[in-house]
Amino acid sequence: MPNHFNLRVYGAACELSWVVQQCLDAFDVTRVPGLRGQLLSAVGSIAANTSEGAGRGSTAQFLNHLRIALGSANETRTHLKRARSEARLPTKEYFLCDAKALVTAKMLAALIRRIETDEAHRQNERAVTHTPPH
C-alpha cells in the first residue's frame, strides 16, 4: 500500500480541511446548531480515511476507506450548501470551499477507478497465466 503522505489526494484533503476551518473561523455559523461540528467532522474524515486505508495493508481495505472518504467529501459539500443557505456563509467562501471539495471528490473517484482497474488487470493476468493449454 502507498504511503498516504505521497498521495496527492491526501494533500488535497488536508488543504480542504484547512480552508474550511479558515472560512468557518472568519464567519459565525452558530446560527445553525451543530453545523460547524458536522462540517469539520466530515471534512476531517476525508484525509483520515485516506490515511487509515493506506495503512491497512490490503487493496480491498484501502478501496473501502477511499469510498468512505469519497462519501465524506460529498457530505462536506452538503454541509457547505447548508452553511451557505441556512447560516449565510458568504458566497466567495462557499465557492472556494465547495470547489476544493469537488476537486478532492473527483481525485478520490479517479484513484478508486485506477485501483479497481489495476486490480482487475492483475486478476485477469493471474487467470490467463494459470489457464492450462488446450
Side-chain angles (χ1 to χ4, degrees), residues 8 10 32 35 45 47 64 75 83 89 130 133:
R8 288 183 310 169
Y10 176 78
V32 181
L35 180 59
S45 178
N64 183 54
E75 180 183 357
L89 180 68
H130 293 346

Side-chain angles (χ1 to χ4, degrees), residues 72-127:
S72 294
N74 291 329
E75 180 183 357
T76 296
R77 295 189 72 210
T78 297
H79 291 316
L80 286 168
K81 273 189 190 263
R82 285 188 59 218
R84 181 177 181 216
S85 65
E86 297 173 29
R88 297 195 179 92
L89 180 68
T91 301
K92 178 182 172 185
E93 284 79 0
Y94 165 75
F95 281 115
L96 171 66
C97 293
D98 189 59
K100 288 189 176 296
L102 179 60
V103 167
T104 303
K106 287 183 175 188
M107 290 173 76
L108 283 163
L111 179 57
I112 291 166
R113 277 191 308 274
R114 190 182 87 218
I115 293 169
E116 289 173 337
T117 300
D118 290 350
E119 188 63 22
H121 286 294
R122 274 193 291 280
Q123 288 178 0
N124 190 34
E125 287 172 5
R126 276 188 235 127

Side-chain angles (χ1 to χ4, degrees), residues 16-35:
L16 170 62
S17 184
W18 184 83
V19 168
V20 167
Q21 177 73 49
Q22 295 303 308
C23 287
L24 292 179
D25 286 348
F27 180 72
D28 182 22
V29 293
T30 56
R31 56 184 295 138
V32 181
L35 180 59

Side-chain angles (χ1 to χ4, degrees), residues 58-65 67:
S58 80
T59 301
Q61 289 177 322
F62 187 37
L63 282 169
N64 183 54
H65 280 81
R67 289 183 188 109

